[in-house]
């Protein structure tokens, strides 16, 4: 498990306190995947909202998006649209052959992931402050017998 150690040392004339805690580094442990299909900008605006919500709560965490029914020539324009609020180097867009299907597309995405864990999100999800994916991650880390966690939509 990828962690950083936070060490706190407090010293005064009367008291000395040393404490350390290991903190899981979310972007090193997790990747997000999402399969989408669509050609209209209104569709990609929804996908952009997903990306922005991930970036707001889990900055620098890799986001892999697979799109079918999208012309390959549109890749750069779409990627530019998706990352227009900044140079997000953690967004990866894969344009797949038309009508590749959900299973094929998700398998392509899973093969891209190098992190220990992944979260699958539908393309119209928006994470909010109470999404608490960090708690789901903690449960997965602390309970090795759990392989899959699903949330209520």
């Amino acid at each position: 498990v990828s962690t950083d150690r936070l060490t706190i040392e407090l010293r005064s004339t009367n008291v000395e306190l040393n404490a350390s805690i290991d903190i899981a580094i979310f972007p090193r442990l997790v990747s997000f995947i999402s399969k989408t299909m669509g050609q209209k900008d209104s569709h990609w605006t929804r996908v952009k909202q997903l990306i922005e919500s991930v970036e707001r709560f889990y900055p620098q965490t890799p986001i892999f998006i697979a799109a079918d029914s999208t012309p390959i020539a549109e890749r750069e324009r779409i990627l530019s649209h998706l990352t227009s609020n900044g140079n997000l180097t953690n967004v990866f867009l894969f344009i797949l052959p038309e009508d590749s299907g959900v299973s094929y597309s998700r398998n392509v995405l899973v093969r891209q992931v190098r992190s220990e864990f992944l979260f699958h999100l539908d393309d119209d999800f928006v994470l909010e402050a109470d999404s608490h994916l960090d708690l789901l991650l903690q449960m997965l880390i602390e309970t090795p017998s759990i392989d899959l966690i699903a949330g209520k939509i």
Side-chain angles (χ1 to χ4, degrees):
V1 174
S2 183
T3 61
D4 277 350
R5 179 170 288 270
L6 174 64
T7 302
I8 300 170
E9 296 180 14
L10 299 172
R11 293 189 179 122
S12 71
T13 55
N14 299 329
V15 178
E16 183 174 319
L17 173 67
N18 292 314
S20 294
I21 186 171
D22 289 328
I23 302 170
I25 307 302
F26 200 90
R28 293 186 201 158
L29 288 172
V30 173
S31 297
F32 291 98
I33 65 170
S34 184
K35 189 271 186 207
T36 191
M37 57 184 286
Q39 296 180 0
K40 297 181 180 177
D41 283 347
S42 60
H43 169 80
W44 290 104
T45 298
R46 284 197 332 259
V47 175
K48 183 176 181 174
Q49 290 170 339
L50 166 65
I51 292 169
E52 289 171 347
S53 72
V54 168
E55 188 62 21
R56 185 176 321 116
F57 297 107
Y58 304 101
Q60 298 304 308
T61 303
I63 307 164
F64 297 93
I65 299 169
D68 61 7
S69 302
T70 303
I72 191 93
E74 293 287 299
R75 182 184 186 282
E76 290 305 315
R77 185 186 69 77
I78 292 166
L79 195 54
S80 174
H81 176 73
L82 294 178
T83 60
S84 63
N85 286 356
N87 186 17
L88 298 178
T89 58
N90 57 313
V91 177
F92 304 92
L93 177 63
F94 299 88
I95 304 295
L96 304 177
E98 188 171 349
D99 294 326
S100 294
V102 174
S103 296
Y104 175 82
S105 300
R106 288 181 183 160
N107 284 328
V108 166
L109 293 171
V110 168
R111 284 194 295 272
Q112 305 307 313
V113 171
R114 299 292 175 255
S115 59
E116 188 171 349
F117 302 99
L118 68 87
F119 283 104
H120 170 261
L121 302 173
D122 284 346
D123 61 357
D124 60 349
F125 275 19
V126 174
L127 299 178
E128 298 184 3
D130 62 353
S131 295
H132 293 299
L133 298 181
D134 52 327
L135 297 178
L136 295 177
L137 177 62
Q138 181 180 351
M139 186 180 299
L140 285 167
I141 291 169
E142 292 175 357
T143 315
S145 61
I146 295 177
D147 295 321
L148 178 68
I149 294 178
K152 183 178 179 182
I153 298 176

